[in-house]
Amino acid sequence: MSPVFGTSSKPELAAGEQFGSETNLIEDKNDLPAPFPDPSVPSTFNGALKHFAFQSSVLTSSIENRDRPSLIPTPSPRPVKRKTPDQMASPAPKRSKRASVSASPTPQTHGARDISTGRMQISSTVSVAQSSPTKKTKRASSAYAPPSTYAHLPNRLTDSLAPSLLVLFIGVNPGLRTASSGHAYAHPSNLFWKLLHSSGCTPRRCLPSEDHDLPHLYSLGHTNIVTRATKDAGQLSKVEMDEGVAVLEEKVRKWKPEAVCLVGKGIWESVWRVWKGRGIKKEEFRWGWQEERFAAGEGWSGARIFVATSTSGLAASMRPAEKEAVWRDLGEWVVARRAEREQEAKADGKEAGIEVEIKAEREVGRAGPGEMDQPTESNPV
């Protein structure tokens, strides 16, 4: 019989012999425990002992491994969110159909353990969002503010007027910074002084503190359709704007400027409502020079009307380049008209000098020879 792994090659025990007795106890250092020994084949004492030790170690390791925590983390199942009675009664909010797009969709892995098998079931889902164009946020318009809202604040702004101006600029009303400083368009975000220079109306950029120097420096002036100060023009009512048209007509008729510049679309809309008795239509409105004349009558043809864009920093409906294009038409007219005035002034000066010389010669001729040298009380020799 061929030897079996973990057993001895010794023949079967004789009758009456017992396993483990001195007669069949054989020391064999090479004996190894057989995992599955054949019960019909006798084993040595060492083989049986090693086999017992092997089985004991396997049983002990299985018990220890059962209580030892696993090195692979097991995700716990997500808790179930239950709605309260109030949430169930209230309707669910509507979700927007448009969603933001993620540049690179990343897979999201969700896992749950099967209780029956103890194995992890993994499902991978990829969420891709739909694209939506970004919209420009629109600034909310201010609500009407009664005069008592800013009655406690000082209003030091006054008009800058003079006879025969080239252009009289008409604004809506002073802002809070302008009213407190007493200088027109004083807020740093206001583009009035910048557009006044870039358009050519002034050869340099002036400061708000020079507003009262404009008449004698550049033959320009300024006033407003409404005198009270507010945060912005949206806090005024249409009634206030329309009532200011009659006041403007009196000022223009008194000082007689060659042109008036309405700084803002809303001023022209108020003038149109007062003159026409209705609001201006979209197809009727245009920037720049208008066909109508302002405050015509009493032997005067009236001032030309130029509708310019608002210079307020809150008016962001037009880009700066678009505003400059509108104002440039006014600046070109001012430059040309100022040059014509200078030529007229020189011509008038020459004519005035000639008239003075002619008058002096006539006086000398009337006096006769030698009479001018005679001593008099006023001209003693």
Side-chain angles (χ1 to χ4, degrees):
M1 181 182 296
S2 61
V4 182
F5 177 73
T7 60
S8 174
S9 58
K10 181 180 177 181
E12 297 181 0
L13 297 176
E17 291 185 357
Q18 296 180 359
F19 178 76
S21 60
E22 294 182 357
T23 56
N24 64 353
L25 184 61
I26 301 174
E27 295 290 341
D28 188 0
K29 296 180 179 180
N30 295 326
D31 285 340
L32 296 176
F36 304 100
D38 188 359
S40 62
V41 179
S43 176
T44 62
F45 176 77
N46 289 340
L49 184 62
K50 291 179 181 180
H51 180 66
F52 175 76
F54 173 77
Q55 289 182 341
S56 300
S57 63
V58 172
L59 180 62
T60 304
S61 62
S62 62
I63 295 174
E64 291 178 354
N65 292 336
R66 183 186 62 183
D67 299 334
R68 184 181 301 172
S70 176
L71 297 179
I72 301 176
T74 304
S76 58
R78 294 185 177 182
V80 179
K81 295 183 179 180
R82 301 184 179 275
K83 293 184 178 181
T84 61
D86 296 339
Q87 293 177 348
M88 296 176 66
S90 61
K94 296 182 180 180
R95 295 184 178 181
S96 176
K97 295 182 179 180
R98 295 182 178 180
S100 59
V101 157
S102 57
S104 57
T106 56
Q108 299 178 356
T109 305
H110 304 282
R113 179 175 293 278
D114 190 352
I115 300 175
S116 60
T117 60
R119 295 182 180 180
M120 190 69 182
Q121 296 180 354
I122 299 176
S123 62
S124 177
T125 59
V126 178
S127 60
V128 180
Q130 298 178 354
S131 62
S132 62
T134 57
K135 292 185 178 180
K136 185 178 180 181
T137 57
K138 186 177 181 180
R139 186 187 299 272
S141 59
S142 301
Y144 169 76
S148 59
T149 305
Y150 303 104
H152 62 285
L153 299 177
N155 188 358
R156 303 183 178 92
L157 183 67
T158 57
D159 294 339
S160 179
L161 301 171
S164 302
L165 295 172
L166 273 176
V167 181
L168 175 60
F169 293 93
I170 301 175
V172 178
N173 73 313
L176 301 181
R177 175 73 68 87
T178 296
S180 61
S181 64
H183 298 293
Y185 308 98
H187 198 279
S189 65
N190 199 291
L191 303 176
F192 177 80
W193 301 103
K194 179 181 179 181
L195 291 172
L196 203 65
H197 170 54
S198 63
S199 63
C201 293
T202 57
R204 61 178 178 86
R205 183 169 179 175
C206 300
L207 299 175
S209 58
E210 298 178 277
D211 54 351
H212 288 283
D213 297 332
L214 291 179
H216 68 270
L217 287 177
Y218 308 113
S219 190
L220 304 175
H222 67 82
T223 186
N224 292 295
I225 189 172
V226 179
T227 57
R228 76 179 183 98
T230 58
K231 181 182 178 181
D232 54 47
Q235 295 182 334
L236 299 175
S237 65
K238 291 184 178 181
V239 176
E240 290 178 288
M241 298 280 289
D242 295 350
E243 290 176 351
V245 175
V247 180
L248 288 178
E249 289 178 336
E250 293 179 2
K251 292 180 182 180
V252 173
R253 197 174 290 113
K254 176 182 179 180
W255 299 103
K256 292 181 173 57
E258 291 192 23
V260 292
C261 176
L262 309 182
V263 186
K265 179 182 178 181
I267 307 174
W268 181 233
E269 290 176 345
S270 295
V271 174
W272 188 279
R273 280 195 302 268
V274 174
W275 289 359
K276 308 289 186 179
R278 60 175 178 85
I280 186 172
K281 298 179 181 179
K282 185 177 181 181
E283 59 272 10
E284 293 175 334
F285 176 81
R286 67 175 183 273
W287 299 106
W289 296 107
Q290 308 297 319
E291 297 178 357
E292 294 81 1
R293 290 266 180 169
F294 203 92
E298 299 180 1
W300 184 52
S301 60
R304 298 188 65 185
I305 301 175
F306 187 92
V307 180
T309 63
S310 174
T311 60
S312 173
L314 299 177
S317 59
M318 297 180 65
R319 298 178 180 178
E322 296 173 343
K323 293 183 178 182
E324 290 181 357
V326 175
W327 280 74
R328 193 175 298 115
D329 293 341
L330 176 65
E332 293 175 354
W333 179 85
V334 170
V335 171
R337 190 69 190 96
R338 185 176 289 136
E340 292 175 359
R341 279 195 172 190
E342 292 177 357
Q343 295 294 331
E344 293 173 359
K346 290 180 180 180
D348 293 341
K350 291 181 179 180
E351 292 178 359
I354 294 173
E355 291 179 359
V356 170
E357 292 177 0
I358 293 174
K359 185 177 181 180
E361 291 177 357
R362 288 176 180 176
E363 291 180 355
V364 171
R366 291 176 184 175
E371 293 184 5
M372 294 298 295
D373 297 334
Q374 297 295 326
T376 60
E377 293 181 0
S378 61
N379 186 23
V381 178

